[in-house]
């Protein structure tokens, strides 16, 4: 997850910035537990891939709030 937003307008502006920077798979989902939008750049099949991507993005201002979120269907 690259960033979290509670409002749609800043969410959309940030998603557009990610896309413009080359993160063409950027998207978002709503986390009902905290009533916020999670904007992400990619999804991965395992934690190792996600950790590698985090290390690659370190230092990029668009990813200064980055963290890994694991999504599970219930």
């Amino acid at each position: 997850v690259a960033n979290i937003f509670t409002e749609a307008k800043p969410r959309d502006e940030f998603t557009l910035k990610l896309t413009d920077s080359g993160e063409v798979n950027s998207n978002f989902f709503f986390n009902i537990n905290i009533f916020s939008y999670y904007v992400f750049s990619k999804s991965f099949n395992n934690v190792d891939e996600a950790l590698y991507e985090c290390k690659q993005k370190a230092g990029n201002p668009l990813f200064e709030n980055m963290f890994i979120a694991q999504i599970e269907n219930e």
Side-chain angles (χ1 to χ4, degrees), residues 25-57:
N25 294 318
S26 299
N27 211 331
F28 61 87
F29 63 91
F30 191 73
N31 182 341
I32 195 163
N33 295 317
I34 63 168
F35 301 107
S36 296
Y37 297 99
Y38 280 18
V39 178
F40 63 93
S41 60
K42 293 182 183 177
S43 59
F44 301 94
N45 293 323
N46 62 59
V47 174
D48 290 334
E49 291 175 0
L51 287 171
Y52 178 79
E53 186 76 10
C54 282
K55 289 178 185 175
Q56 296 300 310
K57 303 271 190 234

Side-chain angles (χ1 to χ4, degrees), residues 9-25:
K9 185 176 180 181
R11 173 205 68 199
D12 292 345
E13 291 169 351
F14 185 78
T15 303
L16 185 57
K17 284 181 187 177
L18 283 176
T19 303
D20 289 347
S21 76
E23 299 292 333
V24 295
N25 294 318

